[in-house]
Each structure stands twice: as C-alpha cells, then as structure tokens.
Amino acid sequence: MEIKSDLIFKGAIWNSVDRGYRKKFFDTQWDIFKICLSIGILYDTQLEEEISEIEEDGLNIPRTMFNRNSGEMQFFFQTAILTTRCVDLSEKDRLYLAFSEEISEDELEDEEEGLLKLEVSKSAFSFNKIDFLRKFANFGAKKLNDCLSANDSETMEELMEFLNASYKGETEELIALKEVEELIDDVDCI
C-alpha cells in the first residue's frame, strides 16, 4: 500500500491526543496513529473527520513513514476490509481489495487478470483505502482522548484499564458487538 501525500489528522480530538500522549507514553505520532487505528479496527467503528473552524495542529504522518511501513499498513487494511461491517462490499470485492496488490502484473497472464477482476464491483476499483483507515483511526483517537486525565499517572491508569478491557472484550461496546454478531450468526444458520 503506497500513498503519495502525508496523512494529516486535524481537529480538537487529534490535537488533544497528540498533546496528551506524544513524548509521554508514545514516542512518535506514528505510534499514536497505529494504536488509534488498532482500536478502531478492534471495535469495528469508524468516525468521520471532525471539521473545525479553528486551524489546529493535530497529527501529521509523513508519507515516507507510511510507505516505509507499507507491509504493516497492508496488514491493518487486510484485517479491516475482511472483517468490518462498516462497508457494504461483496466477498469478492473484499478479497480483491485485500490481496490484489500482492499480485504483480508480471505474475499474471492475460486471461488471469480478467479472472482476478471478474465480478468485482466498480466501487471496489475506486475504493479509498486511506479514507477507510482514517475513519477507524478517528474512532481510536476518540477513545484515547476519553482516557486523558489531569495528570499523567491517571491517564496511564485509564489507558491501561481501557486497553486491558478491550483486549479481554469486556467493554460495553465490545460486549454489545459480540451479541450482535451472535444474533447475525444465528440468523444466518436458519
């Protein structure tokens, strides 16, 4: 996965998260972005970008950092696109989006390229992977912002409690998500 411009996250939440966590708990903005993205994917929740009248700093992830870690970002994307219920795509579309970049043009013969794209919708060909991941990161930033406190010790405790509860699937949102998934599975079995 390659991008041609920097990733810029603006708004009060991103600004607050950057001020509250960078150089205290995470070394770089890249580290903050990855944890936010992970949280959004785990909770399978996306948020639109906050529009702010005031120009705020927020986070700036240089494209070189993103591209240097493209394998890691491809893994995040593959995990998200294959498991999310946030977008309405067919299984074929999801598989194409997740794995088509791993196949080079040289590896394909003429008829194989046609088979690869067979039954893939137009929306999959124009799918914005970066925007898709950005919305997950926005949700994660909101969750990190909720953990911020007046002092660093309290923030660390809140963050660790949140991450532990998330890992164990014990937050209200994850419990509700699991119940919804079980209901959907039950309906699918009928």
Side-chain angles (χ1 to χ4, degrees), residues 20-33:
Y21 287 100
R22 189 165 47 107
K23 303 288 185 211
K24 296 176 185 175
F25 304 108
F26 301 102
D27 290 334
T28 65
Q29 291 179 329
W30 175 247
D31 296 329
I32 294 170
F33 168 72

Side-chain angles (χ1 to χ4, degrees), residues 3-8 60-65 130 134:
I3 63 167
K4 303 207 184 308
S5 64
D6 294 354
L7 292 174
I8 299 170
N60 181 21
I61 309 297
R63 66 183 164 275
T64 54
M65 178 63 80
I130 301 304
R134 177 189 307 273

Side-chain angles (χ1 to χ4, degrees), residues 101-149:
E101 285 185 14
E102 293 181 1
I103 302 170
S104 70
E105 300 265 334
D106 299 336
E107 295 174 338
L108 294 174
E109 294 179 14
D110 292 335
E111 67 273 356
E112 289 176 335
E113 186 173 358
L115 288 173
L116 179 67
K117 295 179 179 179
L118 185 67
E119 296 180 20
V120 175
S121 71
K122 289 179 183 177
S123 61
F125 291 122
S126 62
F127 192 79
N128 188 333
K129 294 178 180 182
I130 301 304
D131 190 48
F132 174 71
L133 292 176
R134 177 189 307 273
K135 291 175 185 177
F136 283 117
N138 286 339
F139 177 78
K142 179 185 175 302
K143 296 309 258 179
L144 282 186
N145 191 54
D146 293 345
C147 294
L148 284 173
S149 185

